[in-house]
């Protein structure tokens, strides 16, 4: 094995803790291991006290998470990580501020998620441009988080759910309970609406929803940005 | 809420990574949360490159994990954690060396696991002393890891499996694949042997086995040392 070269990846986690656990599970499952040493070493800051992204960006009722995220990134860099990753889509609104504060790369879940969604568009999208349905927090549309990289990767239209406010309630319910049945039903219904609205691909762009992807319709490809981040972390760990 | 007082717990993890994930899941499930902030903040060193405990202690073929574990503990202490926890039973053989190197407490999974097992002995154990069947690595018996605290907590006899070498093969198989069917069948059979041998309680003393407790017989109480550690972490975070 090639242990000595294996790089440590720093995780800006706790947003929420269940999504941080899911990322670690996906990293474990992605590797055919003979022993512990075959797995990617991580330094995981499960900071459950990062100010709420929803309160700061959607509701306008709380402090900015930016200084806390920047401090977390700096500390992980000081501890010697080779790269940073952040299993929270919405928090990527602060990605540029984090990048300005550290020298190690911040792997970009939003960029990789957008790129993977485009790669899953059907051949018809070559002429039509294609439609990507976005399942995420209200902050994503408000701040154009996925719109910016998508424009770089082609002509696909980003479709936001008509019932976005309801989806936001589901997001909050998932933070209370990962298998909340009402939240699962809302996610399922909103996803079906997006398919009925002609979406070619569903893009899961909230790590709370990554815990409930089993409710999503199988009639179109489903791309989870968290899976795209896993792929990117595996590449960075072996680079 | 009482966020400002919530303490950060440092996790000496990666032994193996799946057990480190299971600990985080149990901590999430133990809390009735309204939002991320209600969960325990953690700094998790998922160090998959800690030298093998089995190689060093059982097979005598590898370097000691001690200096690596001591360095991990020191670094987490420097990062400001209030206490340390280590979701690996066998690694507690190095607990005294870790304690000698840091000023923050190392929560003791072995001591808490032993205490919880004694608490689950039946009334008949008041006269007989009781029998506790130990499901763990071969290193535990070799180094008397659970025998020492158990003597402090009463007169219970520690019963090691007759097929310990086979159980060790299951442990290694679980590290390759958490749901390995052969390893699950071995664990189930060895546990049934312990019950047939008159054990009053089964003590799960390997975090790889914590991932497969569903195969254990329901005829006697099953105590998982990892659950005892979860309880201790929750107390330390709120202390």
């Amino acid at each position: 094995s090639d242990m000595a070269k294996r790089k440590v990846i720093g995780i800006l986690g706790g947003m929420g803790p269940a999504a941080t656990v899911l990322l670690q599970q996906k990293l474990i499952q992605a590797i055919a291991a003979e022993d512990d040493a075959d797995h990617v070493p991580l330094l995981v800051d499960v900071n459950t006290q990062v100010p709420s992204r929803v309160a700061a960006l959607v509701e306008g009722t709380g402090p900015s998470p930016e200084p806390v995220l920047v401090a977390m990134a700096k500390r992980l860099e000081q501890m010697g990580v080779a790269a940073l990753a952040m299993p929270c889509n919405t928090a990527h609104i602060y990605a540029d501020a984090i990048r300005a504060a550290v020298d190690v790369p911040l792997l970009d879940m939003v960029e990789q998620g957008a790129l993977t969604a485009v790669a899953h568009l059907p051949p018809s999208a070559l002429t039509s441009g294609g439609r990507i349905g976005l399942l995420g927090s209200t902050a994503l549309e408000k701040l154009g988080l996925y719109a910016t990289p998508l424009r770089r990767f082609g002509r696909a239209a980003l479709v936001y759910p008509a019932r976005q406010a309801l989806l936001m309630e589901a997001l909050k319910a998932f933070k209370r309970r990962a298998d909340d049945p009402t939240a699962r039903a809302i996610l399922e219904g909103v996803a079906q609406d997006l398919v009925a609205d002609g979406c070619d691909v569903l893009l899961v762009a909230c790590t709370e929803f990554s815990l409930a992807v089993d409710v999503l319709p199988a009639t179109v490809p489903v791309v989870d940005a968290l899976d795209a981040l896993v792929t990117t972390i595996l590449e960075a760990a072996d680079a």
Side-chain angles (χ1 to χ4, degrees), chain A residues 41-207:
Chain A
L42 305 172
L43 274 168
V44 190
D45 188 348
V46 186
N47 188 354
T48 54
Q49 311 302 311
V50 176
S52 164
R53 286 67 62 204
V54 171
L57 296 166
V58 182
E59 297 163 352
T61 56
S64 170
E66 186 179 301
V68 175
L69 292 172
V70 165
M72 288 163 71
K74 282 183 174 175
R75 184 162 73 163
L76 288 169
E77 182 181 44
Q78 283 163 8
M79 293 177 73
V81 303
L84 297 168
M86 187 159 60
C88 173
N89 287 268
T90 304
H92 278 69
I93 285 160
Y94 309 104
D96 286 343
I98 293 167
R99 289 199 180 94
V102 294
D103 291 323
V104 293
L106 171 64
L107 307 177
D108 198 320
M109 177 163 57
V110 169
E111 189 177 87
Q112 293 301 317
L115 193 57
T116 309
V118 167
H120 282 78
L121 286 169
S124 62
L126 286 172
T127 48
S128 71
R131 291 168 70 76
I132 296 172
L134 195 72
L135 295 163
S137 88
T138 306
L140 301 187
E141 178 172 12
K142 195 173 173 190
L143 292 131
L145 191 63
Y146 268 91
T148 306
L150 262 186
R151 273 195 295 271
R152 292 214 316 278
F153 301 138
R155 297 182 299 117
L158 203 51
V159 182
Y160 299 99
R163 295 191 287 164
Q164 178 66 45
L166 185 66
L167 189 62
M168 199 66 206
E169 292 308 310
L171 193 164
K172 290 181 189 175
F174 278 130
K175 282 193 180 287
R176 287 189 291 270
R177 187 178 153 192
D179 63 347
D180 186 280
T182 305
R184 285 171 60 84
I186 292 171
L187 179 64
E188 183 178 10
V190 168
Q192 284 170 345
D193 288 353
L194 287 169
V195 174
D197 194 23
C199 286
D200 303 299
V201 170
L202 293 179
L203 175 52
V204 179
C206 172
T207 49

